[in-house]
Amino acid sequence: MQRFQELLGQTADVAFLPISADLEYLTGVPRDVPNFGWTLHPGAWLEGAWLSPSHAPVLALPRMTAEFGGLNRLEGAEVRVLGDWDDPETLVRDILSRFNLPQKPRIAVGDRAHAETLIHLQKLLPDAIFVSATELLRQLRVIKSEEEIAVMRRAGEITEAAFADVVKALRHGMTELDVIAEVDYQLRRHGALGPSFTTSLYNSGPNHELIFGDREKHWHRQLLPPVSILFDFGAVYEGFGYNNGRPVSFGTPQ
């Protein structure tokens, strides 16, 4: 955090990071389990943390995000919660007032911020100049600490352990959906938050056309020899994602 604040002081007056990999890296504020949709709570555009070169982080959250995500109990950051009927712009103005911003402030914004967030910030700060906070953080994130390397290795160990148990469970006649469900279950059983991306199988053989996309159309295909199954999956562990690709053959590979 101190190093980021030093870099921020050379580039911008204040930074806003939405709930994202950047924010989790910097403050430990966790992201939710990866999912297909986006849960939209009242005032969701203000979700994230405000940071300055000299102030502790201020985390702004809609009530439902704070309560359902357990984020109202975080340590090391001030948490400001927006009530369901409160005005988000009023809350953000109050947070910004403590930073003594100049008339034309430079605001560093995380690259994962939504366009809706930027539109509201431009309305609140019409003379502001916006720059990338992610570019600042990239200077720190590109070099891993020993602790981060240990976490990445643990993510790999979880993935390998899950794969070993999946292989033990494989049977002729299983469907692709059966195998994918087993992979996702074993990842969580071994300690992952979940898969780091959509678990995929790329199968090929005389009776198994290699298909990309159209998951729902081929999930129910039975896997019968001879067929080669290429697994593509990985574990999420303490904010890091792992990627593993490994083939398994039913029968003699062709």
Side-chain angles (χ1 to χ4, degrees):
M1 175 65 77
Q2 181 179 354
R3 179 58 181 145
F4 175 74
Q5 288 178 311
E6 292 172 357
L7 291 172
L8 180 62
Q10 301 168 18
T11 307
D13 299 294
V14 69
F16 175 80
L17 297 176
I19 295 177
S20 59
D22 284 343
L23 186 60
E24 184 167 3
Y25 169 83
L26 198 59
T27 67
V29 174
R31 289 166 284 170
D32 199 357
V33 176
N35 58 76
F36 181 81
W38 180 38
T39 302
L40 186 62
H41 296 147
W45 66 264
L46 60 62
E47 286 184 356
W50 289 93
L51 308 99
S52 81
S54 57
H55 290 77
V58 180
L59 184 63
L61 299 170
R63 177 194 64 82
M64 296 176 73
T65 303
E67 293 182 4
F68 296 165
L71 299 180
N72 52 356
R73 300 186 300 272
L74 289 174
E75 297 181 1
E78 178 185 352
V79 180
R80 298 290 303 275
V81 177
L82 178 76
D84 293 345
W85 303 103
D86 294 341
D87 177 30
E89 291 188 359
T90 299
L91 177 57
V92 174
R93 282 195 188 94
D94 185 60
I95 293 172
L96 292 175
S97 66
R98 70 182 59 192
F99 297 126
N100 297 317
L101 297 177
Q103 184 175 353
K104 295 183 178 181
R106 292 177 65 85
I107 312 294
V109 178
D111 288 359
R112 293 298 181 183
H114 290 281
E116 181 185 13
T117 301
L118 281 177
I119 290 171
H120 281 281
L121 293 181
Q122 286 176 327
K123 178 182 176 182
L124 290 169
L125 301 165
D127 296 322
I129 298 171
F130 292 93
V131 298
S132 172
T134 299
E135 288 187 8
L136 293 178
L137 268 172
R138 192 171 290 126
Q139 301 176 49
L140 305 179
R141 295 186 63 184
V142 71
I143 301 175
K144 306 302 182 187
S145 67
E146 291 298 324
E147 292 79 8
E148 289 173 313
I149 292 172
V151 171
M152 294 167 69
R153 285 178 173 153
R154 180 58 186 147
E157 291 169 356
I158 290 171
T159 303
E160 293 291 347
F163 180 71
D165 282 346
V166 168
V167 171
K168 294 176 185 177
L170 292 178
R171 299 290 185 273
H172 293 171
M174 294 178 74
T175 66
E176 296 183 22
L177 182 59
D178 292 333
V179 179
I180 289 170
E182 184 68 21
V183 170
D184 290 349
Y185 165 71
Q186 292 295 348
L187 284 172
R188 290 186 168 93
R189 191 176 77 85
H190 283 280
L193 178 65
S196 56
F197 53 92
T198 301
T199 299
S200 301
L201 303 180
Y202 301 105
N203 310 315
S204 61
N207 301 313
H208 291 271
E209 179 186 0
L210 179 59
I211 300 175
F212 296 95
D214 293 328
R215 299 177 189 276
E216 294 178 347
K217 293 182 180 179
H218 61 81
W219 268 342
H220 298 287
R221 292 194 303 176
Q222 284 189 305
L223 298 168
L224 297 169
V227 60
S228 292
I229 308 169
L230 175 59
F231 288 81
D232 190 13
F233 71 101
V236 171
Y237 181 72
E238 293 190 5
F240 284 87
Y242 195 81
N243 187 351
N244 177 68
R246 198 71 60 81
V248 172
S249 293
F250 281 6
T252 303
Q254 296 188 7

